[in-house]
Amino acid sequence: MTGMTETMTKPAVLILLGPPGAGKGTQARMLEEKFGLVQLSTGDLLRAAVAAKTEAGLKAKAVMEAGGLVSDEIVLAILKDRMADPDTAKGVILDGFPRTAKQAEALDGLLEDQGMALGAAISLEVDDAAMVERVSGRYTCAKCGEGYHDSFKTPAVPGVCDKCGSTEFKRRADDNAETVGARLEAYHAQTAPLISYYDGKGALKRVDAMGEIDRIAQDLAAIVEGIAD
Ligand code: AMP
């Protein structure tokens, strides 16, 4: 196994940076389908830990509900655990990680240890003012996870998921106007500085993420194809 990886190109890691509502999850899912990379969302991992009432989940719950950032220690432990799963060896899209300078530095070390290369850090550039409406109207199919929005993307048949036909939908507890404000603040204070961190490494790509979902997906696909060349 070790002999094989040595002769193969290093699996790529993509980072999606952007405030809540920028479309990181939607775009990560699309990239996953198109390129077979694995979407790895620390938000999803934390929500699963909260639902399972693990020790980490119990600690994270209140912080997440208030729109703050969960401690680096908890997030890093959860991420390392997930990165140890064999499916991540083909490359991952990090959605919502790293969010602090400490996480970014820890990721550098982790990639080195695992023999993975940083393909690109993609900043999804959006107008902050539009994010509150985007986030507070969104919901997903409870079965397949397809994303919808009260105003911008409703199912073709009301109440029925376009993708899998399920009639069950769910909304995140933190997707409300009050919490979004705190999440945007946390983004600007702690995560936005990572844009210059990755720019300094020559890994940053900026994508205008205000337009059509499909056009943004094409821009991202072009970046991924550029890395593979
Ligand atoms: P998300 O699904 O990425 O919007 O994350 C939802 C919430 O989970 C955030 O508001 C944070 O409370 C927490 N969270 C997710 N990822 C991280 C991270 N990398 N560092 C700290 N907190 C995180």
Side-chain angles (χ1 to χ4, degrees):
M1 214 30 213
T2 333
M4 245 180 85
T5 42
E6 271 162 17
T7 55
M8 282 163 53
T9 346
K10 284 184 177 182
V13 172
L14 293 178
I15 296 171
L16 293 184
L17 291 169
K24 300 185 295 296
T26 305
Q27 294 297 337
R29 282 166 60 90
M30 292 171 89
L31 287 171
E32 182 172 59
E33 268 181 32
K34 194 169 162 75
F35 294 100
L37 299 163
V38 171
Q39 174 191 11
L40 209 161
S41 152
T42 43
D44 284 349
L45 294 173
L46 287 165
R47 279 184 286 280
V50 170
K53 297 193 167 69
T54 64
E55 200 185 328
L58 292 173
K59 283 187 189 149
K61 189 171 188 280
V63 181
M64 291 172 75
E65 279 169 1
L69 290 186
V70 173
S71 76
D72 290 327
E73 289 66 28
I74 290 181
V75 174
L76 285 167
I78 274 183
L79 179 93
K80 280 185 186 157
D81 229 41
R82 180 65 182 89
M83 289 285 281
D85 291 344
D87 64 335
T88 61
K90 55 188 165 191
V92 295
I93 310 155
L94 295 175
D95 154 13
F97 180 93
R99 262 180 159 97
T100 64
K102 186 164 174 206
Q103 291 178 16
E105 282 157 22
L107 178 64
D108 290 343
L110 189 69
L111 296 188
E112 207 176 314
D113 290 351
Q114 303 211 347
M116 297 178 97
L118 175 60
I122 305 171
S123 167
L124 299 179
E125 314 252 301
V126 291
D127 292 341
D128 245 34
M131 292 306 106
V132 176
E133 194 191 2
R134 265 206 202 177
V135 173
S136 39
R138 71 187 183 179
Y139 58 96
T140 52
C141 169
K143 194 171 163 209
C144 75
E146 182 70 0
Y148 295 95
H149 191 280
D150 293 328
S151 322
F152 310 134
K153 188 190 165 197
T154 52
V157 177
V160 181
C161 176
D162 295 342
K163 211 163 179 191
C164 75
S166 163
T167 52
E168 301 282 322
F169 296 88
K170 59 181 185 185
R171 277 176 206 268
R172 280 169 46 173
D174 59 349
D175 277 351
N176 56 71
E178 304 81 66
T179 311
V180 178
R183 288 163 63 198
L184 279 169
E185 257 176 51
Y187 174 78
H188 287 291
Q190 290 175 271
T191 310
L194 300 185
I195 293 175
S196 4
Y197 179 78
Y198 288 111
D199 202 11
K201 285 177 172 285
L204 184 74
K205 305 274 181 202
R206 294 177 188 272
V207 168
D208 170 10
M210 281 310 288
E212 284 291 311
I213 291 177
D214 288 339
R215 195 271 303 151
I216 300 162
Q218 281 169 16
D219 289 355
L220 291 174
I223 293 173
V224 177
E225 278 155 7
I227 295 167
D229 284 346

